[in-house]
Amino acid sequence: MKKSRKLAAALLSTMVAVSALSACGGSAKPAESAAADSSKTEKTETAAAAENMHIDVIAKGFQHQFWKAVELGTKKAAEEFKVDVTFQGPDNESAIAQQVEYLNTAIAKKPAAICLAALDTQASIPSIQSAMEAGIPIIGFDSGVPDAPEGAIKANASTNNTVAGALAADELYKLIETELKDASAPVRIGVVAQESNSQSIVSRTKGFVDRMTELCGPENVSVEGHDSLKNVKAGAKVILDVGIPAEVKDVDAAAVASSILEKSDLIAIYGSNEFAANAIITANEGLDKLGEGKVVAVGFDAGKKLLDAVRNKTFAGAVTQDPVQIGYQAVKLAVEAAGGKTVEDVDTGAKWYNADNMEAEDIKPCLYE
């Protein structure tokens, strides 16, 4: 009887131990499942937050094909990240007050973030302060928002325009190097810029002028024309003639380009964006100064008119940004900043293209019509 009781007690003890082990082993699976469910929940909540996110993109205008390509990039990002994006810009790139009005309207709607390519940072500062006070992160794109209050701009998606302008100078110099070295009298290189306020235009114009000065030798170069870059040197072998219209109007820019093209010592000319390049093309229509064996022209950006000029070799080539990537990266940065992530500037790059490489895989996507 005692043995029977002892056996029963042992069996009971074993059953209790097994039960306890089973309970411990079983409890691990629900814990892992709970962690997985929590992770899924967090991802679902993040996705839901992104889907409800609204981002305002305020460009410099709509008149250039460049901005339409940027808008295409914002749409691609909006689709990928499942956010709502509004893209708008003033009637032209002189309409500073109109852009500020768009910015104020956007801030009043309290979007998750704003992407801004400022026409004039100083005019936008009160609005930028308001956005900061409202906790709305701002992402700069294209020329960004230079000299904005510290902490207002979380990051920029843009081309390094100084480097891109220097690239145009490097490529042009290769094309005219022999002529420069063989010149028995001073020669002139024209530079046409859209205006002297926008940081992107200023940087790629100055980037070109500085690099060309370096390539030709600072002691040999006199920078003349517009006061913003003037550095006149008597007896210089190379004259960099900078022309900027008083207003951002096609007719004014074409007149500036014509005045440079008509000079007999001109051997080359550079247009620092689509607008400036188009002005040179328009001016040439009545002068026939450009093309193979004539004045060498190079541009910046793309657009149908400039692309046609490169194809028919009226222009030797041009530097292109990647406007689709600019728009895409701006929205991507905005989504991340709105989600509380720390973001950094993105250089969206620049490439040289000519009639020979326009169909190349790395070039073609950047050549917007």
Side-chain angles (χ1 to χ4, degrees):
M1 192 73 176
K2 288 181 180 179
K3 288 182 179 179
S4 181
R5 286 178 182 173
K6 287 180 180 179
L7 179 61
L11 288 172
L12 180 62
S13 176
T14 301
M15 290 175 65
V16 170
V18 170
S19 176
L21 287 170
S22 297
C24 290
S27 66
K29 289 184 180 178
E32 289 171 2
S33 178
D37 289 344
S38 175
S39 178
K40 287 179 181 178
T41 300
E42 288 177 7
K43 289 180 181 178
T44 302
E45 289 174 353
T46 300
E51 288 178 5
N52 294 326
M53 195 180 283
H54 179 84
I55 296 169
D56 275 289
V57 181
I58 303 172
K60 293 182 179 179
F62 272 118
Q63 73 274 40
H64 298 154
Q65 290 296 324
F66 175 84
W67 296 114
K68 294 177 182 177
V70 172
E71 183 180 15
L72 177 60
T74 67
K75 288 179 178 178
K76 287 186 175 183
E79 182 178 351
E80 179 175 337
F81 300 112
K82 302 186 185 308
V83 296
D84 180 39
V85 173
T86 298
F87 188 99
Q88 56 189 344
D91 296 335
N92 59 67
E93 294 185 24
S94 294
I96 295 170
Q98 186 180 11
Q99 188 190 52
V100 172
E101 182 180 346
Y102 283 146
L103 180 56
N104 289 334
T105 300
I107 294 168
K109 293 179 180 178
K110 297 182 179 178
I114 292 172
C115 300
L116 175 64
L119 286 170
D120 186 318
T121 299
Q122 291 303 311
S124 303
I125 283 179
S127 304
I128 292 169
Q129 293 283 9
S130 295
M132 290 179 69
E133 291 168 6
I136 302 170
I138 298 177
I139 299 297
F141 68 98
D142 186 45
S143 61
V145 194
D147 303 319
E150 185 176 353
I153 310 304
K154 302 304 180 184
N156 289 282
S158 62
T159 306
N160 185 323
N161 286 292
T162 300
V163 172
L167 173 61
D170 286 336
E171 295 296 336
L172 178 57
Y173 185 79
K174 294 175 188 176
L175 299 170
I176 62 174
E177 184 175 5
T178 299
E179 192 168 0
L180 285 169
K181 290 179 179 178
D182 293 345
S184 57
V187 294
R188 185 180 304 268
I189 300 172
V191 179
V192 179
Q194 175 176 299
E195 33 93 358
S196 58
N197 294 316
S198 168
Q199 188 64 40
S200 61
I201 303 298
V202 170
S203 294
R204 69 181 63 153
T205 304
K206 190 174 187 301
F208 175 89
V209 169
D210 288 350
R211 180 61 175 157
M212 187 60 74
T213 299
E214 180 185 348
L215 291 167
C216 296
E219 70 281 1
N220 297 321
V221 178
S222 178
V223 183
E224 303 178 8
H226 198 269
D227 289 340
S228 61
L229 292 171
K230 187 178 287 186
N231 183 17
V232 178
K233 291 183 181 178
K237 296 178 181 179
V238 179
I239 299 167
L240 293 181
D241 192 349
V242 181
I244 301 176
E247 293 187 58
V248 185
K249 294 181 178 179
D250 292 339
V251 64
D252 291 354
V256 167
S258 291
S259 69
I260 295 175
L261 286 174
E262 289 171 348
K263 294 176 180 177
S264 60
D265 57 355
L266 185 74
I267 65 167
I269 191 167
Y270 164 66
S272 63
N273 74 336
E274 181 187 358
F275 175 86
N278 286 348
I280 294 169
I281 296 167
T282 298
N284 186 62
E285 290 170 357
L287 297 171
D288 192 26
K289 290 289 189 76
L290 307 178
E292 294 182 292
K294 302 177 183 179
V295 172
V296 180
V298 299
F300 201 113
D301 287 331
K304 187 178 188 320
K305 197 168 185 176
L306 178 53
L307 294 179
D308 286 344
V310 173
R311 288 188 186 102
N312 64 34
K313 298 189 177 181
T314 300
F315 267 54
V319 171
T320 179
Q321 303 180 82
D322 190 339
V324 175
Q325 192 64 205
I326 288 174
Y328 175 89
Q329 292 293 342
V331 170
K332 181 182 178 183
L333 288 170
V335 170
E336 292 173 347
K341 291 184 179 180
T342 300
V343 292
E344 297 180 351
D345 292 354
V346 175
D347 179 4
T348 52
K351 301 176 184 294
W352 168 258
Y353 69 95
N354 55 29
D356 297 326
N357 73 349
M358 293 175 75
E359 297 299 316
E361 289 184 5
D362 62 328
I363 300 294
K364 189 173 182 179
C366 301
L367 304 183
Y368 56 89
E369 290 282 346

